[in-house]
Amino acid sequence: MQKGKGRTSRIRRRKLCRSSEPRGVNESHKSEFIELRKWLKARKFQDSNLAPACFPGTGRGLMSQTSLQEGEMIISLPESCLLTTDTVIQSYLGAYITKWKPPPSPLLALCTFLVSEKHAGDRSLWKPYLEILPKAYTCPVCLEPEVVNLLPKSLKAKAEEQRAHVQEFFASSRDFFSSLQPLFVEAVDSIFSYSALLWAWCTVNTRAVYLRPRQQECLSAEPDTCALAPYLDLLNHSPHVQVKAAFNEETHSYEIRTTSRWRKHEEVFICYGPHDNQRLFLEYGFVSVRNPHACVYVSREILVKYLPSRDKQMDKKISILKDHGYIENLTFGWDGPSWRLLTALKLLCLEAEKFTCWKKVLLGEVISDTNEKTSLDIAQKICYYFIEETNVMLQKVSHMKDEKEALINQLTLVESLWMEELKILRASAETLHSLQTAFT
C-alpha cells in the first residue's frame, strides 16, 4: 500500500480539514444572552441544541452544542415567545389600534410596538430581545445615496423603490402616531421618527418568520403573516441547506427541522429561499458567497446592444419576446448564459428568410448552425461587456473606500456583490468559449 493511501491517512486528512475550518466563538457567557435565556425560560422555552456564537464570515449566529442528525428538531419556540399582532393588540397599544380609522396595517402595528418598546428601555417586557437586535441594518434603504449609486442598475432601481415605499409608509403613519401622544411624556414626533420607524421596518422585513394568514378585525385587510421569533432569528442563511419550518398548531410552537447533518460546534444554518444575491441584498442586507442561485441580469437595452441596427424585423422580434415572457429574467449564471437568454438571442439573431421559424426557437429547436453560432457570439460580447463594466465599478468602489472611511462597511458589502458577479461572468465566459469551439 502506498504511503498516504490507507484508512488511517484518510481519517487524519479529514480531521485536519475539519480543524482548519473557521470555528465560532461561543457567546453564551455574554450578559445579553444570559438575560435572553432567562427571559425565554420564563416563557417556557429551553434549548440544549444551540448556543449563540460569533463566526468569521457570517458574524453572530447559532452553534450546534451536539451533533444534529437529518430530520432532527433544530429548535421549537413556544407561541408565548413570538411577537405577533396578537401581542400588540393585547398590549397598551390595543385600544388605540382598535379605534383608529382606517384600520392600521399589521406591519404598522408591529413597527409601532417595536419603536414604543425600544423607547421604553428598561421598562419594556421585551428588553432582553430588543437588546440583541441589530442597532442598524444594511438593506439598501439604509445605505447612503452615494453608495446606492454604486449598485447594479436593476438593484439600484429596486433600492430606490424600497426607499420611496418606506418614506410613504412613514408619512402615511404620522397621524396614527400622533394619536398615541397620551401614552408618552415626550412628543411622539421625537419617538416615532423616520429613523426609528426605518429600524423597526427593517427588523420586521429581515427577521420575521412566516405564519398562516389570519384576519384581525381591528387591522387592515393586508396579509397578517409576520411574527418575530426571539433567539430563532439568530439562525443565518445558507443557500446550501434545506430545512422544514412552520408553526405547529398541535404543539403551539414554531418548529424547524433540519434535512442536513451538523457536527458539534458547527454553525447551524437555515435557508431563506432560493434567492439570488441581488434579492438577498435588497431584502436582508447581505451577500452569499458562492451562492448557486446568484446570477447577473441582462436588461433589454444590453440584450440588443450588439445586434445589427439595420434589422428591419427587430421591433417585431422584441414584441414576440415580450408577448411570450422572454424579455425579463435573462441571466448569466455559474454554468453560463441561461436557457432563456440564449433562446432570446437565437430569436433576435434569426435571418430574414428564417423569421417564420420563431415558434420553433421558443420550443428549443435548432434552426441552423449559423443561428447557433451568432447567438453565442452575441452572448459572449454581452458577457465581456459586463466583465468590463464590473471591473470599472469595482475600481469606483475601491476609490470611494479610500476617500470615505465612514462608509467602509457599506462599501465593502457593495464590493462583495460586484466580486460575486465578476466570478459568475468569468465562469460564463469560459462556458461560452467551450460552446463556441464546437463551431470552429
Side-chain angles (χ1 to χ4, degrees), residues 134 137 139 201-208 233 272 282-285:
Y137 291 89
C139 304
W201 184 90
C202 288
T203 297
V204 176
N205 197 57
T206 64
R207 306 182 77 82
D233 62 8
Y272 299 170
L282 181 69
E283 299 293 344
Y284 303 103

Side-chain angles (χ1 to χ4, degrees), residues 101-304:
K101 303 298 177 189
S105 67
L107 176 61
L108 178 57
L110 290 171
C111 288
T112 303
F113 186 79
L114 283 171
V115 173
S116 179
E117 289 295 298
K118 188 178 182 184
H119 172 73
D122 291 341
R123 294 177 285 113
S124 172
L125 296 176
W126 289 81
K127 182 189 175 186
Y129 174 52
L130 296 172
E131 285 291 299
I132 67 159
L133 288 174
K135 302 296 184 286
Y137 291 89
T138 52
C139 304
V141 69
C142 301
L143 304 183
E144 293 297 320
E146 55 196 317
V147 177
V148 173
N149 284 334
L150 295 173
L151 295 173
K153 287 182 181 178
S154 58
L155 181 56
K156 179 186 172 185
K158 290 176 183 176
E160 290 169 346
E161 288 176 12
Q162 188 184 67
R163 186 183 297 272
H165 169 74
V166 176
Q167 289 173 341
E168 168 58 26
F169 180 52
F170 173 66
S172 64
S173 303
R174 297 189 73 177
D175 287 345
F176 172 67
F177 295 150
S178 295
S179 75
L180 305 177
Q181 185 61 70
L183 293 171
F184 304 97
V185 175
E186 303 89 337
V188 288
D189 285 349
S190 66
I191 299 169
F192 294 92
S193 62
Y194 175 75
S195 60
L197 187 67
L198 176 60
W199 171 83
W201 184 90
C202 288
T203 297
V204 176
N205 197 57
T206 64
R207 306 182 77 82
V209 297
Y210 177 85
L211 298 181
R212 285 184 179 178
R214 57 238 176 99
Q215 184 62 51
Q216 306 269 15
E217 288 186 11
C218 58
L219 297 177
S220 69
E222 294 175 35
D224 185 2
T225 58
C226 290
L228 289 170
Y231 196 65
L232 181 151
D233 62 8
L234 289 170
L235 288 163
N236 287 319
H237 164 82
S238 170
H240 306 290
V241 304
Q242 289 184 330
V243 296
K244 294 179 179 178
F247 185 79
N248 188 325
E249 298 289 349
E250 293 182 2
T251 63
H252 294 282
S253 298
Y254 194 91
E255 298 176 350
I256 298 181
R257 289 184 181 274
T258 178
T259 58
S260 309
R261 293 183 179 183
W262 303 97
R263 296 194 304 271
K264 187 176 181 179
H265 297 151
E266 274 190 319
E267 180 171 12
V268 177
F269 291 97
I270 57 174
C271 183
Y272 299 170
H275 304 318
D276 61 61
N277 275 337
Q278 290 198 18
R279 172 78 181 276
L280 289 174
F281 197 146
L282 181 69
E283 299 293 344
Y284 303 103
F286 68 86
V287 172
S288 181
V289 177
R290 294 296 299 181
N291 180 1
H293 310 294
C295 58
V296 177
Y297 289 91
V298 180
S299 66
R300 173 181 166 176
E301 292 73 27
I302 303 302
L303 183 67
V304 300

Side-chain angles (χ1 to χ4, degrees), residues 334-378:
W334 293 105
D335 54 355
S338 67
W339 186 86
R340 290 173 58 82
L341 174 56
L342 285 180
T343 299
L345 288 173
K346 288 174 185 178
L347 194 149
L348 292 171
C349 292
L350 281 173
E351 297 164 297
E353 62 273 18
K354 300 281 189 180
F355 181 60
T356 55
C357 299
W358 65 265
K359 287 185 179 179
K360 292 183 178 180
V361 173
L362 295 183
L363 291 171
E365 295 185 29
V366 175
I367 304 305
S368 68
D369 283 354
T370 300
N371 180 259
E372 294 286 309
K373 184 179 186 306
T374 304
S375 59
L376 287 175
D377 288 343
I378 298 296

Side-chain angles (χ1 to χ4, degrees), residues 297-323:
Y297 289 91
V298 180
S299 66
R300 173 181 166 176
E301 292 73 27
I302 303 302
L303 183 67
V304 300
K305 183 178 177 68
Y306 295 102
L307 293 169
S309 56
R310 61 184 178 276
D311 188 344
K312 296 179 181 179
Q313 296 168 320
M314 185 56 66
D315 289 343
K316 180 61 176 175
K317 291 175 178 177
I318 292 292
S319 179
I320 290 171
L321 290 176
K322 191 179 296 183
D323 290 344

Side-chain angles (χ1 to χ4, degrees), residues 39-71:
W39 183 85
L40 290 167
K41 186 176 181 180
R43 291 169 180 254
K44 310 302 182 186
F45 172 74
Q46 294 192 53
D47 174 61
S48 59
N49 286 341
L50 305 171
C54 188
F55 298 88
T58 56
R60 183 170 278 180
L62 290 177
M63 169 194 289
S64 59
Q65 293 279 68
T66 181
S67 60
L68 297 173
Q69 303 303 312
E70 187 175 334

